[in-house]
């Protein structure tokens, strides 16, 4: 499998479909290398929306508050982004 890691776009360039294009390019790369699966852990509402728009399979959802940093739940640091969603895409 090929893992898509750290999908993020500068605030100044959001809304230009850059994140979606990067995710699509990852699938094209996997196909060109005969890699049968792309997987990712999306940690923001924005990236999760990209995965859903591209019809990736949702494999697992975990609440941010299941993890902590220095005794504080992650959800305290992530604002509106309260879940981690593992997704996968079978490459045909």
């Amino acid at each position: 499998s090929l893992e898509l890691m750290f999908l993020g776009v500068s605030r100044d360039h959001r809304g230009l479909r850059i994140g979606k294009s990067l995710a699509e390019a990852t699938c094209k790369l996997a196909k060109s290398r005969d890699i049968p699966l792309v997987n990712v852990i999306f940690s923001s509402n924005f990236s999760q929306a990209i995965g859903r728009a591209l019809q990736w399979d949702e494999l697992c959802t975990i609440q941010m508050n299941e993890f902590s940093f220095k005794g504080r739940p992650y959800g305290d640091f992530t604002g509106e982004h309260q879940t981690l969603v593992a997704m996968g895409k079978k490459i045909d």
Side-chain angles (χ1 to χ4, degrees), residues 34-92:
D34 293 322
I35 298 171
L37 176 69
V38 176
N39 59 66
V40 64
I41 298 174
F42 288 128
S43 59
S44 81
N45 300 341
F46 307 123
S47 58
Q48 292 164 17
I50 289 169
R52 290 180 183 115
L54 294 175
Q55 299 179 336
W56 288 35
D57 295 318
E58 293 188 39
L59 307 172
C60 178
T61 300
I62 300 171
Q63 297 298 313
M64 289 283 194
N65 286 338
E66 290 189 33
F67 304 97
S68 62
F69 179 73
K70 294 188 177 183
R72 290 182 59 197
Y74 271 23
D76 288 358
F77 304 101
T78 59
E80 67 183 281
H81 312 283
Q82 292 293 308
T83 58
L84 299 167
V85 180
M87 293 188 186
K89 178 76 172 176
K90 182 178 176 186
I91 304 302
D92 298 319

